[in-house]
């Protein structure tokens, strides 16, 4: 199906300069994630057409229109090993869409994302959790979906359960767990591996205070001792400053600003914005 | 130095498992989930997979031997063979049809080879079919029908069936993502197909024109094949095998092509 490409929105000089500067600073090092001219367009059907009869009638009348929603207009970025990026922007600006493109859940309409390494996506935790299955069964299922091997889960099962602090309930169906306990298991499974790239999307706002501290400690451990590259989405500026060294400000699908975490967050939080 | 070593380890771990192996592990976990969920809380559990076709056979035998009276030798076996094989097709395509829509939460959350979802249902039904084969054996023992050497063709028939059902399942699974009405259409078509296939009546009841048309019904060929090797002790000839293989391969190719062409758009429509 030949489709007319929607032109990319050009990046501002400022952003381009910042990107060049960062590429220069990492001369000779290969990026771990390459994001190239990524554009993501969602077709929003004017009416919900999932009905064959209506569909053919509309085609016959030549009335099949879609309204396009451009979630990402133009994102280009090289991320180098060990960098810790914070993504900021208001709701609906495209942060999660970008993360999903990086995690491979969404395919960009134009452009491409290349990742060179293993990834632990903490985008939506607990994929595939089934309330009728026990914690043990869910651990294997979820682990499989995250790309672990059976051996790996066998070996790490005890540490996952003890990290989640649910040792006494391993063989209880998940539906009897509180949502906080479920989140703890999900987080424990997702971070059982030492990934090259860790993608975190506001998922830590679940669980009690102590567990959130534990999560942040685990993320810090991965980043500091294992040199994991981090992509972190949060609305909490202090948290971003604490965890990240660089930041991207995404505004209506385009990169408004990229650079040092303090500079970007100060601009983002400036009163005139 | 330590860093370089670490990096090396990671790359090694990454190549340990190929995408294919990963998909197989995911498939295994998904099928085992289906099993755990199906029989959890039922007292007889897996025994139902045997009891169900047996009880169905009893009902149909009662109905059709006393009310309609078809002159078929070993009618209960004739029935159960046709029924279990047709159930394999209808259940697996029905399952596959819903598989992508039902996995919407997963498709939206993780990167995954989406073909595992329709295949999950096919494998699940294949295992159910294997259990229901115990029911077939029970009937054979009860009526003292000895298996013949033609039973060696059974794996071949299953291969045809798996290809055919996977192809049909993948086609339906992707089509229904874009047009939800296909789900309702399919249940009607399956009912029609049940009656269009000689499951409980003999094929020689057909008028000539219908018999000619039935040559295009793959299930007619598969069921005839099954009864030939299990009941009538007929060795399926080359023509029969080619015919069955042909339907399977064509259906599989179409299904795979459509699925691969559309799978990138699933996430936007489920």
């Amino acid at each position: 199906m030949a489709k007319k490409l929607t032109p990319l929105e050009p990046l501002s000089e400022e952003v381009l300069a910042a990107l060049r500067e960062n590429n220069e600073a990492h001369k000779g090092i290969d990026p771990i994630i390459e994001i190239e001219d990524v554009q993501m367009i969602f077709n929003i059907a004017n009416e919900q057409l999932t009905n064959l009869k209506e569909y053919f009638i509309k085609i016959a009348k030549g009335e099949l229109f879609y309204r396009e929603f451009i979630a990402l207009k133009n994102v280009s970025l090289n991320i180098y090993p060990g960098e810790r990026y914070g993504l900021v922007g208001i709701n609906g600006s495209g942060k999660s869409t970008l993360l999903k493109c990086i995690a491979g859940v969404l395919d960009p309409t134009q452009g491409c994302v290349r990742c060179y390494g293993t990834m632990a996506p903490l985008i939506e935790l607990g994929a595939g959790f089934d309330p009728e299955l026990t914690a043990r069964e869910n651990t294997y299922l979820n682990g499989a979906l995250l790309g672990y091997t059976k051996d790996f889960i066998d070996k790490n099962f005890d540490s996952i359960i003890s990290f989640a602090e649910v040792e006494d309930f391993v063989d209880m169906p998940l539906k009897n767990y509180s949502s906080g306990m479920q989140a703890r298991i999900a987080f424990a499974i997702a971070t059982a591996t030492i990934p090259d790239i860790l993608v975190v999307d506001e998922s830590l706002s679940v669980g009690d205070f102590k567990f959130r501290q534990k999560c942040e400690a685990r993320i810090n451990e991965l980043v500091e001792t294992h040199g994991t590259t981090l992509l972190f989405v949060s609305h909490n500026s202090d948290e971003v400053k604490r965890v990240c060294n660089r930041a991207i400000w995404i505004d209506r699908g385009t990169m408004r600003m990229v650079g040092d975490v303090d500079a970007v967050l100060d601009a983002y939080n400036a009163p005139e914005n | 130095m330590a860093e370089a070593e670490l990096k090396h380890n990671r790359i090694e771990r990454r190549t340990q498992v190929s995408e294919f192996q990963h998909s197989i592990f995911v498939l295994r976990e998904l099928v085992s989930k289906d099993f755990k969920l199906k029989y959890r809380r039922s007292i007889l559990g897996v025994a139902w997979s045997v009891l169900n076709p047996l009880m169905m056979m009893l009902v149909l035998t009662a109905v059709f031997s006393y009310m309609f009276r078809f002159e078929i030798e070993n009618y209960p076996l004739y029935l159960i063979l046709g029924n279990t094989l047709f159930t394999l097709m209808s259940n697996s395509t029905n399952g596959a049809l819903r598989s992508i829509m039902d996995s919407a939460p997963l498709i939206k959350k993780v990167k995954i080879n989406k073909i595992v979802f329709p295949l999950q249902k096919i494998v699940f039904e294949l295992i159910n079919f294997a259990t229901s084969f115990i029911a077939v054996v029970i009937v054979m023992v009860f009526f003292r029908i000895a298996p013949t050497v033609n039973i060696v063709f059974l794996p071949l028939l299953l291969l045809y069936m798996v290809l055919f059902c996977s192809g049909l399942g993948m086609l339906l699974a992707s089509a229904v993502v874009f047009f939800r009405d296909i789900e309702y259409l399919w249940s009607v078509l399956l009912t029609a197909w049940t009656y269009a296939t000689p499951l409980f009546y003999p094929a020689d009841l057909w008028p000539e024109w219908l018999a000619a048309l039935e040559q295009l019904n793959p299930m007619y060929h598969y069921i005839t094949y099954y009864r030939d090797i299990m009941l009538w002790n007929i060795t399926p000839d080359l023509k029969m095998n080619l015919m069955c293989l042909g339907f399977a391969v064509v259906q599989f190719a179409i299904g795979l092509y459509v699925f691969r062409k559309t799978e990138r758009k699933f996430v936007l429509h489920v």
Side-chain angles (χ1 to χ4, degrees), chain A residues 74-231:
Chain A
N74 186 3
V75 178
S76 284
L77 182 70
N78 282 339
I79 297 175
Y80 294 93
E83 286 191 306
R84 310 189 299 278
Y85 268 96
L87 269 71
V88 293
I90 55 169
N91 288 334
S93 55
K95 302 181 299 290
S96 293
T97 306
L98 179 60
L99 284 195
K100 284 189 174 179
C101 284
I102 293 171
V105 178
L106 285 174
D107 275 315
T109 318
Q110 275 183 56
C112 63
V113 179
R114 281 184 289 262
C115 294
Y116 304 96
T118 56
M119 184 185 300
L122 306 188
I123 297 183
E124 285 182 66
L125 290 172
F129 270 9
D130 193 297
E132 295 286 335
L133 297 180
T134 66
R136 183 190 303 276
E137 291 160 345
N138 270 304
T139 303
Y140 277 87
L141 181 58
N142 184 248
L145 292 167
L146 290 178
Y148 300 162
T149 60
K150 187 167 186 308
D151 283 349
F152 181 84
I153 307 174
D154 285 340
K155 262 184 231 150
N156 289 276
F157 186 75
D158 291 335
S159 65
I160 290 172
I161 293 304
S162 72
F163 187 88
E165 300 169 27
V166 290
E167 291 95 334
D168 298 337
F169 316 104
V170 184
D171 292 307
M172 190 166 91
L174 211 65
K175 63 181 173 189
N176 298 342
Y177 280 58
S178 72
S179 56
M181 283 161 86
Q182 292 189 16
R184 279 193 275 176
I185 302 178
F187 182 89
I189 302 169
T191 57
T193 171
I194 298 169
D196 300 325
I197 304 159
L198 183 64
V199 181
V200 185
D201 186 9
E202 294 164 295
S203 46
L204 304 186
S205 47
V206 287
D208 55 35
F209 174 68
K210 267 179 106 174
F211 189 71
R212 283 173 64 175
Q213 278 186 335
K214 207 169 160 181
C215 293
E216 207 179 305
R218 174 72 181 149
I219 291 174
N220 278 329
E221 183 200 337
L222 286 174
V223 169
E224 274 154 28
T225 45
H226 302 286
T228 294
T229 307
L230 178 69
L231 288 168

Side-chain angles (χ1 to χ4, degrees), chain B residues 16 25 27 34 67 105-106 119 121 124 133 193 230 236-238 244 260:
Chain B
Q16 249 174 24
F25 180 43
L27 189 59
D34 277 352
M67 289 168 63
L106 275 183
L119 293 187
K121 300 298 171 188
F124 178 61
F133 193 75
W193 204 351
M230 297 296 295
D237 58 11
L238 186 65
C244 289
R260 285 294 183 210

